[in-house]
Amino acid sequence: MLTDLEIQKLPTPEKRREIPDSKVRGLYLVVQASSAKSWALRYRIAGTPKKFTIGPYPAISLAEARRKAQKALAEVVDGNDPSARRKADREAQKAAIEAEKIAAAPPDRIETVVDAFAERYLATKVGRRWAKESERLLRVEVLPVFGGRRLGEINPREVDKLLGEIAERAPVTANRVLAAFRKLCNWAASPRVGLVASSPCAGVENPTVENSRDRVLADDELRLVWLALERVGWPFGPVGRLLILTGARRSEVAEMRWSEVDLANRRWRLPGARTKNKQAHEIPLS
């Protein structure tokens, strides 16, 4: 039977060793090659082996380890899993701490503002694609730099510096980040929301000059594309050919519904909810 004196005299093993306690079944003293010692309880729940870590020795004495092991075994007898219970307790404690942090955080902390902006504006006021991309840019490009700070503490010079750093590796992305962050700041500074007095993006200009694309396909090139799309197959082949025939946007064609199509009159009635300018319009079908 284990005693405190025997435990203190144990030599350091070459590899990890488990020494069973003869008084409490399932209780083991775990001795590491580093000489560190700890207590563990092995048991079964519905035939499945489980392990419950009690704690280090000598911080937890032999008598205390036996008491904790017997208490855990009593839970097992009642059909409960002490290891799962401890994990659940830790997760609940962690969640409570996080909830306290959120409750104590100022309402204009940048993480809180991004969450509110995504829920109250992006999810309801703009198209799904723009909303998804804007939230991604805010979380990937803005939060790592400004996270933990209050939105009202950020100044235009800092925003301009961030955009410059992004522009060095992704010029166009920097413009998109500014568009998303400016929209967030304007929303936060609006009278209805009132999280900040003014926008940190005030006076900040696009870091990159974008040139509009005026290249168009010649008729022979368009014919080659059409023939290639016939070989692509569903769904990209038909989507590509509809793009050529209608001149509509990619998302408009990809998300087309039968309810929008009037085959008898050869019309595609595109609702305002799916257009960039939010205006419904009809597209002739060949």
Side-chain angles (χ1 to χ4, degrees), residues 29 34 44 49 56 73 77-78 82 86 101 118 124 133 137 145 182 189 198 211 244 261:
L29 176 69
S34 63
R44 287 180 177 272
L73 289 174
V77 172
D78 291 337
R86 171 182 285 177
K101 289 181 179 179
T124 60
E133 178 62 9
L137 291 173
V145 178
R182 178 187 284 127
S198 60
N211 297 317
I244 293 174
V261 179

Side-chain angles (χ1 to χ4, degrees), residues 6-152:
E6 289 180 356
I7 294 173
Q8 294 170 10
K9 291 181 178 180
L10 285 174
T12 300
E14 294 183 359
K15 60 181 181 179
R16 184 180 182 278
R17 180 186 176 194
E18 290 188 359
I19 303 173
D21 178 39
S22 58
K23 189 172 183 179
V24 178
R25 185 174 181 178
L27 177 63
Y28 290 83
L29 176 69
V30 182
V31 186
Q32 304 288 352
S34 63
S35 77
K37 302 179 182 68
S38 61
W39 298 104
L41 177 70
R42 295 192 179 278
Y43 58 97
R44 287 180 177 272
I45 292 288
T48 302
K50 299 280 187 174
K51 177 185 175 183
F52 178 69
T53 300
I54 296 176
Y57 178 89
I60 296 178
S61 65
L62 172 59
E64 182 69 6
R66 285 170 175 166
R67 187 187 70 79
K68 289 180 178 292
Q70 289 171 337
K71 182 179 179 181
L73 289 174
E75 291 187 60
V76 175
V77 172
D78 291 337
N80 300 316
D81 186 348
S83 181
R85 185 260 308 158
R86 171 182 285 177
K87 182 179 179 181
D89 289 346
R90 287 176 175 173
E91 291 178 350
Q93 184 180 19
K94 182 179 179 181
I97 293 173
E98 290 298 320
E100 289 179 2
K101 289 181 179 179
I102 293 174
D108 68 331
R109 193 177 70 170
I110 186 67
E111 293 94 341
T112 305
V113 177
V114 169
D115 289 341
F117 179 66
E119 179 181 349
R120 294 164 55 186
Y121 183 86
L122 293 179
T124 60
K125 304 295 186 181
V126 299
R128 185 174 60 183
R129 287 187 60 204
W130 195 89
K132 183 177 180 180
E133 178 62 9
S134 295
E135 183 176 359
R136 185 191 72 82
L137 291 173
L138 290 171
R139 296 192 184 281
V140 172
E141 301 289 356
V142 177
L143 284 186
V145 178
F146 294 147
R149 297 181 59 188
R150 301 180 67 170
L151 185 61

Side-chain angles (χ1 to χ4, degrees), residues 183-197:
K183 180 65 72 174
L184 176 145
C185 293
N186 290 341
W187 173 83
S190 65
R192 176 176 295 182
V193 180
L195 290 176
V196 291

